Amino acid sequence: MSLIKKNIHNITNELKKNNSQPDSAIRLVAVSKGQGQKKILEALNAGHNIFGENYVQEAIDKQKGLTDYKIEWHFIGPIQSNKCKLIAENFQWVQTVDRIKVADKLNMFNTDQTPLNICIQINISNEDTKSGVKIEEIDALADHISTLDKLKLRGLMAIPSNTSEDKILMNEYMQLKMIYENLKFRYSTIDTLSIGMSNDYLLAVENGSNLVRIGSKIFGSR
Ligand SMILES: *Cc1c(COP(=O)(O)O)cnc(C)c1O
């Protein structure tokens, strides 16, 4: 078995074991940024077909050689508004929407029949340097996105504080869960809480995440 196949297999099993809501599966996004097409092919051959990328041009270059495969592409990087057309045309999910202007442009440039799946990125650690909306801005952005017919609001994405202090982390997970449940109550399309990377995915799924974005633990270091 290839190492990538083995990694995906092990992570999938761990996710199943630690899922806090065992009646619904956890979505695994394999983050292939900084990795070559060969590694993506290895994952595809292992039966995995959900990938995440941070940089538009890098992603499009790789996608060109993979048109024979049915792949669900997630955009997970910061969004410059002049890249919205390319993002809307080449991805099925955008997890990092953090302002109305970007939502409007993605909506305008999605010419597909199927709506583009959207997560709002929250700046849960509330650091100025981090991307994402502030907690108090979520409702207005969610309301706006829900009126756009080429977008489907699926949920929230966050990167918790980079700390080993349990108290801080638990507080952030708890807040995310509350905001998520509140959105779910208001919009029937909400079903996704995207938290967890290579270093924290088990903790994230124990605390309610149902989508994890894992790169180095699958593909090795970048
Ligand atoms: C790079 C990246 C990941 C994956 O990180 P790993 O630590 O390699 O698993 C997940 N989410 C986002 C937003 C990223 O930029």
Side-chain angles (χ1 to χ4, degrees):
M1 209 196 281
S2 88
L3 185 57
I4 287 174
K5 184 172 184 175
K6 208 182 276 173
N7 290 342
I8 291 173
H9 192 80
N10 290 344
I11 292 168
T12 306
N13 282 340
E14 273 182 315
L15 290 173
K16 261 191 207 131
K17 251 188 258 159
N18 293 277
N19 189 350
S20 64
Q21 295 120 335
D23 45 324
S24 56
I26 294 170
R27 195 184 282 261
L28 170 60
V29 176
V31 177
S32 46
K33 67 158 177 244
Q35 310 282 2
Q37 208 177 63
K38 194 161 163 272
K39 289 193 174 177
I40 299 180
L41 280 167
E42 244 184 84
L44 283 164
N45 288 331
H48 193 81
N49 65 348
I50 309 177
F51 295 92
E53 290 278 345
N54 292 54
Y55 308 102
V56 182
Q57 202 49 56
E58 180 193 332
I60 292 173
D61 288 346
K62 283 186 235 175
Q63 288 172 349
K64 277 183 191 138
L66 299 168
T67 47
D68 287 348
Y69 294 87
K70 186 151 179 39
I71 300 178
E72 182 180 287
W73 291 101
H74 289 237
F75 190 76
I76 61 168
I79 302 177
Q80 293 167 271
S81 64
N82 65 356
K83 294 279 163 59
C84 284
K85 182 168 190 286
L86 286 174
I87 293 173
E89 288 171 349
N90 294 285
F91 289 83
Q92 289 70 52
W93 282 69
V94 186
Q95 294 202 15
T96 42
V97 173
D98 62 358
R99 55 199 192 276
I100 284 176
K101 185 180 173 187
V102 160
D104 284 343
K105 287 201 162 189
L106 291 171
N107 185 61
M108 181 170 80
F109 288 121
N110 181 21
T111 51
D112 236 38
Q113 286 301 327
T114 16
L116 194 53
N117 298 293
I118 300 292
C119 292
I120 294 174
Q121 183 177 0
I122 308 187
N123 183 354
I124 193 68
S125 59
N126 211 10
E127 294 164 66
D128 287 341
T129 52
K130 285 241 182 110
S131 16
V133 287
K134 297 201 178 85
I135 290 173
E136 59 269 26
E137 295 164 351
I138 290 163
D139 285 352
L141 183 55
D143 282 347
H144 185 81
I145 292 171
S146 73
T147 65
L148 302 173
D149 62 343
K150 295 288 190 174
L151 304 185
K152 185 174 183 181
L153 183 60
R154 297 294 294 267
L156 298 173
M157 180 276 211
I159 304 171
S161 295
N162 185 10
T163 171
S164 53
E165 268 192 67
D166 269 8
K167 237 182 163 170
I168 296 176
L169 277 176
M170 288 307 147
N171 183 42
E172 290 181 1
Y173 287 128
M174 206 178 63
Q175 284 192 72
L176 285 167
K177 191 103 197 282
M178 267 171 50
I179 301 163
Y180 173 65
E181 293 299 335
N182 183 31
L183 274 186
K184 211 167 152 177
F185 182 73
R186 286 168 46 213
Y187 305 104
S188 61
T189 54
I190 302 276
D191 60 5
T192 303
L193 183 56
S194 169
I195 328 170
M197 314 190 349
S198 290
N199 288 328
D200 65 343
Y201 65 97
L202 284 182
L203 198 59
V205 297
E206 279 164 15
N207 286 281
S209 164
N210 59 20
L211 184 155
V212 293
R213 311 172 308 267
I214 300 184
S216 43
K217 188 108 192 213
I218 292 175
F219 296 113
S221 59
R222 291 180 286 272

